[in-house]
Amino acid sequence: MALLKKIKASSLMETLVATVLIVVVFMISSMVLNNIIATNIRQNTDKVEERMNVLEYQYHHKVLELPYYEDYESWEISIVADIKQTGQFAVMTAEQTKTEMSITKSLIGED
């Protein structure tokens, strides 16, 4: 003897409401994920820091003449001499034109 149970089927309206809720949750989660990734890409400074390290190396080996200015991707890099009482310094600044983010390094000159 087989057990026959009837399963109550959901109505069309319940199915549509559940589907809409699932779609809304996926849309919100994808927008949040997209925002996180876009912010991470905008604030990534790895490439410009790598370029600044190369320029710092060139400065220490006297390949660069000061003042030095360069446009690197969306960054404006400048190295300007800054003579203080304790010795000779240079200030390296990188400013991003789109987000107005800036990175500053002090370079100690070798005499």
Side-chain angles (χ1 to χ4, degrees), residues 45-54 72 103 105:
T45 60
D46 291 342
K47 286 184 179 181
V48 74
E49 287 178 3
E50 181 180 336
R51 180 64 185 154
M52 289 174 75
N53 289 336
V54 169
Y72 181 74
I103 302 170
K105 278 187 173 183

Side-chain angles (χ1 to χ4, degrees), residues 9-21:
S10 58
S11 68
L12 181 61
M13 186 56 87
E14 291 172 338
T15 305
L16 288 175
V17 168
T19 304
V20 167
L21 288 176

Side-chain angles (χ1 to χ4, degrees), residues 47-48 71-76 97:
K47 286 184 179 181
V48 74
D71 287 334
Y72 181 74
E73 294 184 2
S74 64
W75 293 84
E76 294 176 355
T97 55

Side-chain angles (χ1 to χ4, degrees), residues 60-104:
H60 286 300
H61 290 85
K62 304 201 184 320
V63 177
L64 296 178
E65 293 183 23
L66 299 185
Y68 177 81
Y69 300 98
E70 175 183 325
D71 287 334
Y72 181 74
E73 294 184 2
S74 64
W75 293 84
E76 294 176 355
I77 302 174
S78 65
I79 305 173
V80 180
D82 185 21
I83 300 173
K84 305 254 181 184
Q85 294 177 350
T86 57
Q88 184 175 354
F89 293 91
V91 177
M92 181 187 306
T93 306
E95 295 180 353
Q96 191 175 38
T97 55
K98 295 177 185 175
T99 62
E100 297 179 9
M101 184 186 305
S102 73
I103 302 170
T104 303

